[in-house]
Every structure is written in C-alpha cells, then in structure tokens.
C-alpha cells in the first residue's frame, strides 16, 4: 500500500476547518507554481527576488495575516501556522521572509507602535510594497540580547543611535528597520526608515544555509531619529521577546512543512529507485526509516495544531512555544537527514529538495532561539531553576 500523503495515516487533516484548509491550499498552490520551479536556482545563486515575492505574498494576503486591521487579513493563528508550513515546504528562506515581515517587523509596530506609525507602515507592509527587518542580534550578543551594546541617547526631541546588528534577515533590502537599542531607561524599540542618514547595511555572503534569503549586518553611525520613531509600547526586553514568540510560533509549523517535503520526495524516490533487482523501498531498513520519519512528522503536526489551538484561545505561554520549536525543528532535521540517506548520492544535489531543507534546518535550529536556549526554557519551567547564566 502506498500513501499519497504522509498525513493520511493518522487523518490529521480532519482537525482543520474549512477556512484553514482554504488558506493552506492557496499557499500550497503558490509554492507549487511559483517557488518549486525556481527555488533550486535561487538557492544556488543566493539571489532571491525578494521585492517581487513580497508583493506576490502580499497579494494573496500572507503578510501580517494574523494581525487585525491596517490591511491585514486577520486570520486565526492556526491558519497562519498552516501558511508557514506550506511556505517552508518550498524553502525555509521563503517562510523567513514571511516570518520577519509579519511576525517580527509588522507585529512590533502593531503591538508597540503609535497609531501614526501603524497607519504609516502596516498597510504597505501588508501588500509587500514595503519590506521590514528586525534588528535584535549583535555579533557578540546572540542568545543573550540583554547584553546588547547598540545604544540610543536622547538629544532634545531626537534620539542618536549608534551600534551594529548582525545576521539581520532582509536588512539589505528593507525599507524599514525595527531596531532594539539600550537607553538610559532600558531597552527600547525604534521604527526607522532605512533611508535615514547614518543607516547602512552590508550583505553577509558565503552562507551555506538559507541561501534563498538575504542576511545582513546593520550599522548605525550617529543615526538621528525623532522621538516619534520610538515604539512607545515597548518598554523592556520583554517587547522584542514577545515578537520572537510570534515568529517562533510560525516556525513550529514551518519545520513540519520542510520535513513533510523531505518525506514526500524521498518516498517517491524510494519507490522508483531500484537496487539489487527491485525498489529500495522494499528493504526493511528503508521502511524503518520511513516509519520513524512519518511518526515524527505526524507527532510534530499534532503538536503544532495543539499549540495553534492554545494560541487561538489566547492562552499561549512562551514555554509552550519553546517546546514546539524544540521538538519540531529537531524532528524535522532528523527527518531530513533520513530522507537524504535514502536518496544516496542523488540526495546531495539541488535537483531534489532534501539537502537544501537539511542545511536550511541547521539555521532554523539556531535562529529564533537556539535549540539549547529552548531546552533551558523548558528546563526552567520544569525545575524552577534558570540555567542561562
Ligand atoms: P528574562 O529576564 O527571562 O526576560 C525578560 C522579560 O521578557 C519576558 N520573556 C518573554 N516574553 C515573551 N516571550 C518570551 N519567550 C519571553 N522570554 C522572556 C520575561 O517574562 C521578562 O519580562 P518582565 O516583564 O519580567 O521584564 O530575559 P533574559 O535576558 O534572562 O533572557 C531569556 C532568554 C535567554 C530566554 C532570551 O534572551 C532569549 O530568548 N534568547 C534568544 C534570543 C533569540 O531568540 N534571538 C532571535 C533573534 S530574531 C531572529 O532570529 C530572526 S530569524 C529570522 C526568521 O525568523 O526567519
Ligand atoms: P551564540 O549565542 O553565540 O550561541 C553559540 C552556541 O552556544 C549555541 O549552540 C548556543 O545554543 C550555545 N549557548 C549560548 N548560550 C548558552 C547557554 N546559556 N546555555 C547553553 N548553551 C548556550 N537575528 C535578528 O535579530 N534578526 C534576524 O532577522 C535574524 N535573522 C537571522 C538569519 C540567519 C540566516 C541566521 C543564521 C541568524 C539570524 N539571526 C537574526 C540571528 C539569530 O537569532 C542568532 O544567530 C541566534 O540567536 C544565536 O546567536 P549566535 O549565533 O550569536 O550564537
């Protein structure tokens, strides 16, 4: 018996309502038509048409889709998760584009910005006309953003910002940057047009993972911004960490998408690839790999949907999100590695998606809180002891 879809075994799709299925199906079609035929070339050349894609993703309502008003679609969290899943089945870089735009940059403005800032930026970010980036990480402060050195000093009604941010997705193509900086009163967020004098961005080259995504260093040199650029609702490190919780939620589903694609591709390959006078799918070791992969995949999907339901009930905690990312990204990597091994030499090329997903997932394991950081969040929840320091 061959199953056409890895989720058929547990009939997981019965968990979804009509609207969620519709959003998933529109996103899946977009990925099939627009991303799958081009992604290998974008990945190899490390050039992705971010502006074009942003407009297309905006036109199908995927940018900031879980936010209400200001041109955003206002869907439930689970639908947003499912869209992330389909996007990441295409490539983690595409999901990153949508995560950074909607969950980090737009969410920061939506949750913490003034009404004026929201009206100025959110509608054009929802259509993809304007691209946002989110600058939290610094070269020496990745897992520990509380140690950031980028600083903002008050000067009359303005702020002068100095410092650097590192590893910033779309930093070199963004129209607007959300910048987190230390002030005399604590950590604050600023919404800064990238045309502001003193702002510059340098593309980070030679990445071997997430090549279909731009990553940049941001440099701020005596960058003067008015007090209206400050996000008034953001009054401590809690604000950027709340944004991260939004984006991590999308990754919980996204990782399932990358893993699903690996399983589908390797399953199709194994049923047609012959060795020792028959398909390699008949070998017990290969079947055990598929059993592990499918079980991990379905478990991850159930976890994602469970966390989606809690988020839709507005009861989600950071610890629950950490457990979702901790499990689902790690499982996706295991699935990708098994898929790669099943495909032998063919598995290492860009002709198939599995190696690309596998190396992308190495980044996904690191960004939005490393696997170790999430294990410590869960450990703290269980023991009551913080082991970060
Ligand atoms: P700590 O003292 O624990 O917390 C400070 C305040 O924040 C609150 N909080 C959270 N709120 C929401 N969500 C969370 N996950 C939260 N974690 C903590 C906390 O309650 C407290 O609030 P308050 O009101 O009491 O002040 O902070 P800490 O300095 O000890 O750090 C804790 C730690 C290590 C968990 C945190 O620093 C952390 O998560 N580090 C990882 C950094 C990280 O994930 N960076 C990601 C950068 S963005 C990115 O990678 C984008 S990738 C592109 C893409 O998504 O595709
Ligand atoms: P480090 O923090 O130096 O960690 C190195 C190792 O030490 C890891 O294994 C880590 O788990 C471990 N470690 C650290 N502290 C502890 C501890 N207390 N206990 C146990 N182990 C620990 N950031 C942004 O702000 N915006 C973006 O748009 C963005 N996009 C990114 C895109 C890409 C492609 C990449 C690769 C990164 C991006 N990041 C972004 C940065 C990302 O969030 C950081 O890389 C991540 O938070 C880890 O920081 P680090 O790389 O400095 O690693």
């Amino acid at each position: 018996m061959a199953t056409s879809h890895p989720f058929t075994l547990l009939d997981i799709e019965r968990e979804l309502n009509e609207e969620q299925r519709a959003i998933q199906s529109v996103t899946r079609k977009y990925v099939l038509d627009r991303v799958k035929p081009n992604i290998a070339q974008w990945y190899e050349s490390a050039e992705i048409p971010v502006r074009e894609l942003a407009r297309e993703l905006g036109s199908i309502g995927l940018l900031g889709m879980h936010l209400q008003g200001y041109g955003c679609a206002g869907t439930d969290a689970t639908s947003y998760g499912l869209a992330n899943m389909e996007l990441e089945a295409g490539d983690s870089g595409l999901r990153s584009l949508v995560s950074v735009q909607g969950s980090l940059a737009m969410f920061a403005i939506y949750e913490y910005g003034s009404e004026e800032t929201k009206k100025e930026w959110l509608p054009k970010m929802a259509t993809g006309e304007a691209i946002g980036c989110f600058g939290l990480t610094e070269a020496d402060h990745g897992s520990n953003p509380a140690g950031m050195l980028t600083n903002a000093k008050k000067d009359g009604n303005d702020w002068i910002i100095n410092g650097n941010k590192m590893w910033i997705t779309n930093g070199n193509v963004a129209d607007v940057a959300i910048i987190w900086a230390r002030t005399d009163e604590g950590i604050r967020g600023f919404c800064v047009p990238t045309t502001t004098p003193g702002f510059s961005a340098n593309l980070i080259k030679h990445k071997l993972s997430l090549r279909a995504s731009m990553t940049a260093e941001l440099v701020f040199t005596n960058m003067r911004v008015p007090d209206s650029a400050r996000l008034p609702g953001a009054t401590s490190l809690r604000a950027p960490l709340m944004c991260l919780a939004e984006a991590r939620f999308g990754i919980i589903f996204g990782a399932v998408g990358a893993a699903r694609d690996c399983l589908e591709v390797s399953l199709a390959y194994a049923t047609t690839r012959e060795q020792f006078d028959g398909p390699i799918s008949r070998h017990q070791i290969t079947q055990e790999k598929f059993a592990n992969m499918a079980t991990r995949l379905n478990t991850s999907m159930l976890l994602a949907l469970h966390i989606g339901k809690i988020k839709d009930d507005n009861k989600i905690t950071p610890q629950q999100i950490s457990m979702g990312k901790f499990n689902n990204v790690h499982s996706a990597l295991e699935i990708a590695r098994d898929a790669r091994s099943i495909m032998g030499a063919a598995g290492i090329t860009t002709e198939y998606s599995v190696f690309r997903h596998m190396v992308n997932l190495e980044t996904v394991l690191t960004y939005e809180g490393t696997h170790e950081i999430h294990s410590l969040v869960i450990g703290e929840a269980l023991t009551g002891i913080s082991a970060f320091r």
Side-chain angles (χ1 to χ4, degrees):
M1 184 189 89
T3 59
S4 56
H5 193 286
F7 292 145
T8 350
L9 274 172
L10 283 185
D11 192 16
I12 286 186
E13 298 206 343
R14 75 205 293 273
E15 301 286 324
L16 309 181
N17 66 32
E18 222 168 279
E19 191 191 335
Q20 291 164 347
R21 283 168 200 253
I23 289 170
Q24 182 177 17
S25 145
V26 166
T27 316
R28 185 179 299 196
K29 184 168 178 341
Y30 174 76
V31 170
L32 268 178
D33 293 347
R34 176 68 169 124
V35 181
K36 294 230 171 184
N38 295 304
I39 186 65
Q41 195 257 318
W42 293 338
Y43 199 87
E44 282 196 42
S45 63
E47 283 176 11
I48 179 165
V50 178
R51 288 217 164 260
E52 261 174 63
L53 294 180
R55 285 199 182 262
E56 292 164 13
L57 292 161
S59 75
I60 51 172
L62 298 185
L63 301 179
M65 65 186 271
H66 59 314
L67 308 179
Q68 308 280 341
Y70 307 97
C72 303
T75 70
D76 65 7
T78 301
S79 298
Y80 174 60
L82 292 165
N84 277 271
M85 187 169 97
E86 295 306 326
L87 293 167
E88 197 147 357
D91 192 80
S92 302
L94 188 72
R95 196 267 309 132
S96 247
L97 168 57
V98 169
S99 291
V100 171
Q101 181 84 349
S103 285
L104 294 180
M106 291 176 75
F107 181 81
I109 296 170
Y110 179 83
E111 195 67 13
Y112 303 112
S114 66
E115 197 52 38
E116 197 185 23
T117 306
K118 290 185 207 185
K119 284 187 178 144
E120 181 182 356
W121 287 106
L122 291 178
K124 52 189 176 190
M125 292 174 85
T127 59
E129 183 195 333
I131 294 177
C133 69
F134 184 88
L136 179 64
T137 304
E138 298 182 356
D140 293 330
H141 299 94
S143 295
N144 180 25
M148 71 176 68
L149 297 178
T150 296
N151 62 80
K153 300 249 183 267
K154 200 86 205 277
D155 185 41
N157 278 336
D158 295 340
W159 293 86
I160 311 289
I161 303 179
N162 279 290
N164 294 52
K165 296 287 173 182
M166 193 63 184
W167 303 111
I168 307 306
T169 301
N170 287 337
N172 58 317
V173 286
D175 302 285
V176 61
I178 303 301
I179 296 162
W180 300 97
R182 176 177 303 290
T183 71
D184 290 344
E185 288 88 42
I187 288 170
R188 298 289 184 270
F190 296 85
C191 176
V192 180
T194 55
T195 47
T196 306
F199 180 102
S200 62
N202 305 309
L203 180 68
I204 296 172
K205 296 185 179 159
H206 311 299
K207 283 185 302 168
L208 293 175
S209 169
L210 230 77
R211 288 177 62 78
S213 174
M214 310 272 198
T215 317
E217 175 198 25
L218 307 184
V219 182
F220 321 121
T221 312
N222 293 325
M223 185 172 72
R224 179 180 287 275
V225 299
D227 189 48
S228 59
R230 192 172 47 83
L231 301 172
T235 54
S236 74
L237 184 64
R238 186 182 170 81
L241 294 182
M242 288 295 287
C243 302
L244 297 186
E246 292 295 304
R248 290 166 178 171
F249 172 78
I251 289 176
I252 295 171
F253 282 80
V256 178
R260 187 192 72 203
D261 194 57
C262 289
L263 176 50
E264 284 174 346
V265 167
S266 57
L267 202 49
Y269 183 84
T271 53
T272 53
R273 171 75 178 169
E274 299 203 348
Q275 287 297 296
F276 299 98
D277 309 317
I280 57 171
S281 58
R282 78 189 188 286
H283 299 300
Q284 290 181 355
I285 298 175
T286 308
Q287 292 200 2
E288 189 190 30
K289 284 182 187 170
F290 282 131
N292 278 327
M293 291 156 81
T295 307
R296 281 201 180 104
L297 184 76
N298 280 278
T299 308
S300 294
M301 183 63 181
L302 287 172
L303 180 60
L305 289 174
H306 176 72
I307 289 174
K309 278 186 188 146
I310 304 177
K311 189 162 184 346
D312 278 323
D313 288 345
N314 288 319
K315 293 198 170 135
I316 197 79
T317 66
Q319 292 77 15
Q320 290 165 336
I321 288 182
S322 282
M323 188 177 276
K325 183 180 186 265
F326 178 76
N327 182 76
N328 285 13
V329 178
H330 186 258
S331 279
L333 249 177
E334 295 286 308
I335 291 169
R337 286 172 183 151
D338 272 347
R340 219 279 321 142
S341 75
I342 287 169
M343 299 186 66
I348 72 156
T349 68
T350 53
E351 187 182 347
Y352 296 96
S353 56
V354 293
F355 198 86
R356 178 169 49 76
H357 282 311
M358 190 180 83
V359 287
N360 279 341
L361 286 165
E362 291 291 346
T363 285
V364 183
L365 195 77
T366 288
Y367 69 24
E368 292 289 359
T370 67
H371 192 63
E372 292 76 15
I373 289 297
H374 290 294
S375 71
L376 296 184
V377 171
I378 299 166
E380 183 180 6
L382 295 172
T383 64
I385 302 168
S386 166
F388 297 110
R389 290 181 170 83

